[in-house]
Amino acid sequence: LDGDDRVSRAALAERFGTPLYLYDLDRVSASKRDLFEAVPDGFLVYYAVKANPHPDVLREMCGGDHSCRAEVSSTGELHAALDAGFSRSECLYTGPGKTTAEVVEAVECGVRLFSAESLSDLCRIGAVATSRHVVVDCLIRINNAAASASTGIRMTGIPSQFGIDSETLVGTMAELNAVAGTRITGMHFFPLSNAQDEQALIEEFRNTVAVAARLQRETGMPVQLLDIGGGFAAPYAASGERPVYRRLREELEDTLDAHFPGWRDGQPRIACESGRYLVADAGQLVCGVGNVKESRGRRFVILDAGINALGGLSGLGRLLPMTVELAGTRAAGVASVVGPLCTTGDLLGRAVPVPDLGSGDTVVIPHVGAYGLTASLLAFLGRPAPVEVAVRGDDLVSASRVQFTRSYQLGD
Ligand SMILES: Cc1ncc(COP(=O)(O)O)c(C=O)c1O
């Protein structure tokens, strides 16, 4: 294969087969640049490794002019991040269900910053740190009682496994401060994902910053690092554009000037987090059409990729707002787009406008660089994982496939 054709979707599908994830590293670097430009200078940006832990994607995040830090929630994510070159001391370890073994592994690997989601979580982190003769920095994750009015995937303001309820913080502060092996160095908020629009994002951040300032006053917590979370949006398995935030930087600067006057001098340092914004539009899933059939007046397009390759979230009852692309072809009708698995749950989209498809055609599901393969039911029904191909311009950077091995016996 020559020149451009080496990395065309058709050529890659021909060479490696389908289903095939295609990641465009130039697009990753473009969204990283856009995000750094959208937030004030000096902001730390944590990349949520859960969105896409592919090694080339991770390398793109930690290299270049703007370097993200890694936000990890498991031993697997931690090692993926370290292998890709993220600095161990700059990783932020989060998650409501950290096990002692995971914290041991993290501390031994050199992680020194954790987000503690409860007093008991903090005690677990402290016990491990003490046993390893170190003191680790901990952000207290806050479940803010007063969420802003904006919409998106909300993770706060409701009963939740995430964070300490803000209204209980004053009463818990003495106990939090007393946990040996830990030093409380700030607060962590992550109130929502995928904000509806720029205004909603701004309002959420304004609310978060105001609450953080109030809690700092009320508790006397030393805040050296304030992680205000995310909410940066991106289309998922559907057409559309990743937003470019034009007002956010100025609005954040104003809010921070009002509530944390020392922030421009790094007191506190301000951090935000993103997964989907950074990678969603860099990924496509190229699928083969296995069969097309009619049943009682409905058309079914059966792909070689289902919820085992895309959309564990679909398997959990949230249907994807999916679109299918076929270059140069107009929609010829609607169909249920399903995968090859033996379950009615293997539905990628209902009433999806599709071209006139037939067995052997190739279709592309756009904008699945985030929560694509990594959020899928990979082991279900035992098909091989899709190939993952990373390209940069006309260069094929890598082609790989996540491999399952058969289970092995535990015991002696
Ligand atoms: C703590 C935390 N940070 C970052 C993210 C990434 O979210 P998104 O991909 O919407 O940016 C998540 C997503 O669940 C999260 O829980």
Side-chain angles (χ1 to χ4, degrees):
L1 298 168
D2 300 320
D4 282 357
D5 207 34
R6 273 185 315 165
V7 293
S8 77
R9 295 188 300 215
L12 292 170
E14 174 88 22
R15 180 166 171 194
F16 297 110
T18 59
L20 177 148
Y21 271 95
L22 178 56
Y23 306 128
D24 179 344
L25 299 177
D26 284 338
R27 294 193 83 145
V28 175
S29 115
S31 39
K32 194 169 66 148
R33 188 199 55 226
D34 286 351
L35 187 58
F36 272 93
E37 280 175 8
V39 297
D41 290 342
F43 260 44
L44 304 178
V45 176
Y46 285 98
Y47 172 58
V49 171
K50 64 178 81 60
N52 189 334
H54 187 277
D56 290 312
V57 170
L58 292 179
R59 276 190 280 273
E60 199 65 34
M61 290 301 166
C62 68
D65 290 344
H66 297 296
S67 299
C68 296
R69 299 182 176 199
E71 182 262 317
V72 298
S73 297
S74 71
T75 300
E77 287 187 357
L78 173 62
H79 284 293
L82 297 184
D83 289 350
F86 281 97
S87 150
R88 55 199 64 235
S89 60
E90 291 178 351
C91 285
L92 170 62
Y93 204 108
T94 65
K98 303 174 196 78
T99 65
T100 298
E102 285 173 328
V103 180
V104 165
E105 180 79 9
V107 169
E108 289 189 347
C109 280
V111 175
R112 292 293 178 267
L113 179 62
F114 291 81
S115 165
E117 308 249 5
S118 57
L119 176 59
S120 42
D121 191 33
L122 186 70
C123 289
R124 187 188 299 262
I125 297 165
V128 171
T130 304
S131 74
R132 295 316 191 256
H133 310 292
V134 294
V135 176
V136 297
D137 291 345
C138 288
L139 306 180
I140 300 300
R141 181 157 176 189
I142 309 291
N143 178 0
N144 184 10
S148 97
S150 61
T151 54
I153 304 169
R154 182 150 293 288
M155 299 172 79
T156 204
I158 47 175
S160 163
Q161 69 268 48
F162 302 113
I164 293 182
D165 296 341
S166 54
E167 62 277 20
T168 67
L169 191 63
V170 172
T172 328
M173 203 56 219
E175 281 175 283
L176 293 170
N177 277 329
V179 177
T182 68
R183 179 171 42 222
I184 295 173
T185 52
M187 296 182 212
H188 175 204
F189 293 78
F190 197 86
L192 96 164
S193 266
N194 213 14
Q196 181 180 282
D197 55 29
E198 182 167 23
Q199 191 53 32
L201 189 63
I202 289 169
E203 277 165 27
E204 193 70 44
F205 280 141
R206 272 206 204 118
N207 189 48
T208 296
V209 171
V211 169
R214 176 176 59 77
L215 289 175
Q216 185 190 24
R217 277 195 308 277
E218 290 174 1
T219 61
M221 184 192 289
V223 180
Q224 291 157 23
L225 178 61
L226 173 61
D227 182 342
I228 61 174
F232 306 101
Y236 181 49
S239 51
E241 293 289 317
R242 175 170 55 74
V244 175
Y245 298 115
R246 302 192 191 287
R247 291 186 295 120
L248 181 63
R249 169 191 276 256
E250 212 178 302
E251 297 276 359
L252 276 171
E253 287 173 351
D254 289 350
T255 304
L256 287 164
D257 284 342
H259 292 286
F260 289 94
W263 77 276
R264 289 178 190 266
D265 301 318
Q267 290 168 342
R269 283 210 84 172
I270 312 293
C272 62
E273 296 172 34
S274 174
R276 71 187 68 229
Y277 186 89
L278 289 167
V279 286
D281 75 356
Q284 313 173 2
L285 179 58
V286 184
C287 314
V289 176
N291 203 359
V292 179
K293 61 170 276 193
E294 304 283 331
S295 170
R296 305 218 158 93
R298 259 173 76 188
R299 192 142 57 111
F300 288 81
V301 173
I302 304 166
L303 303 180
D304 58 10
I307 54 176
N308 56 330
L310 171 67
L313 299 181
S314 160
L316 295 175
R318 294 191 217 159
L319 290 183
L320 305 173
M322 183 196 149
T323 50
V324 159
E325 286 176 359
L326 191 68
T329 315
R330 294 171 151 275
V334 295
S336 292
V337 177
V338 301
L341 308 184
C342 304
T343 163
T344 49
D346 196 13
L347 175 65
L348 292 181
R350 216 189 296 272
V352 178
V354 288
D356 195 11
L357 293 167
S359 173
D361 281 336
T362 301
V363 302
V364 175
I365 302 173
H367 303 149
V368 288
Y371 309 111
L373 189 62
T374 182
S376 298
L377 305 181
L378 258 179
F380 193 38
L381 268 98
R383 289 191 164 228
V387 173
E388 293 178 282
V389 174
V391 299
R392 190 192 311 280
D394 291 343
D395 290 331
L396 195 160
V397 176
S398 69
S400 59
R401 192 197 297 275
V402 172
Q403 185 86 52
F404 288 113
T405 50
R406 294 306 308 158
S407 55
Y408 53 89
Q409 295 299 315
L410 298 175
D412 42 40

